[in-house]
Amino acid sequence: MTQNGIALITGVTGQDGSYLAEFLLEKGYEVHGMVRRSSTETFERIAHLDGKLELHQADLLDSSSLVNLMQEIRPGEVYNLAAQSFVPASWSQPTLTGEFTALGVTRMLDAVRIVDPEIRFYQASSSEMFGKVQETPQSETTHFYPRSPYAVAKVYGHWITVNYRESYGLFAASGILFNHESPRRGREFVTRKITEAVARIKLGLQDVLELGNLDARRDWGYAKEYVDVMWRMLQRDTPADYVVGTGVQNSVRQCVEFAFAHVDLDPDDFVRVESSLVRPAEVDTLLADPRKAREELGWSAQTSFEELVRIMVESDLEQQERASGRRRGEDGTR
């Protein structure tokens, strides 16, 4: 824990932000979360933390709001997890994605520099930056080849973090996190789309699951474990960037097979490939080389992808049962 034990999380209402808030609270931090002033902001992932962390309104598009927020709470650590993070949406909103996911990082770093250069800063980089991969597996030295407006914006965010570290002496570190999932994953992401659909199909609430590229391969881990490595990066004596992943690769097709197997159904009876769901520029394969994180931070992934899919399907079954009143095995369910 840094000296004052105060942490600020942007993107606190998201999957990673909610797990990180839990993790830091358990470590004894005073945790503050940044949220946008928005009528559509959802707090369901942090509802159970009500009263345990303090929320503040500020915006990555507004530099003065970031400076004022940091001056108010004086954090020792800042975790910048906020972004427009859904890859397909970055094609329909490329400029907005750049404002949040690229320039938003610059505004955050500038606020740190202005308010207190001793603040330790974590930037959420992404394996999507590797895109059309130049080598497999991908490590901290692999060249980036982004294949979406989101990935391009993340490359900017990554390099501006390096730039501020080297130019201003900030403790600024980036975690290049490969895909990480959980029951808190947004429904628009393919893993959660699959596990929720499987739960609904099992309960007789849905008949078909439409997917795009079933052969895309990813390094998928458990988000709950990945927030630990974010924290570990800010406890080092010197800042550095780390690739974070499992070192194991699975395909979307395998995700489908694991999910349907858990509920004893055959995916061939329910899955349809829809060409409109394929990205304009596809990222076919991503695989982490996480040796640096293991050797320097003492961190490694603990949950297999098959077990993670099982956890997610079970969670979605429970949610769908509560919402619908249906139960597994009742008449009308499979």
Side-chain angles (χ1 to χ4, degrees), residues 240-253:
D241 306 321
Y242 294 87
V243 160
V244 178
T246 69
V248 177
Q249 194 177 57
N250 289 275
S251 66
V252 174
R253 191 183 306 277

Side-chain angles (χ1 to χ4, degrees), residues 97 125 179 219 265-266 280 291:
T97 298
S125 288
N179 295 66
D219 183 325
L265 293 175
D266 185 346
R291 283 180 295 178

Side-chain angles (χ1 to χ4, degrees), residues 215-241:
D215 297 318
R217 300 178 63 81
R218 295 290 185 272
D219 183 325
W220 275 298
Y222 191 7
K224 188 174 183 179
E225 297 174 357
Y226 283 36
V227 298
D228 181 3
V229 79
M230 300 176 188
W231 174 79
R232 291 181 186 225
M233 288 172 61
L234 295 197
Q235 312 314 307
R236 299 277 296 171
D237 291 334
T238 54
D241 306 321

Side-chain angles (χ1 to χ4, degrees), residues 7-18:
L8 170 64
I9 304 170
T10 74
V12 72
T13 61
Q15 169 188 256
D16 293 7
S18 64

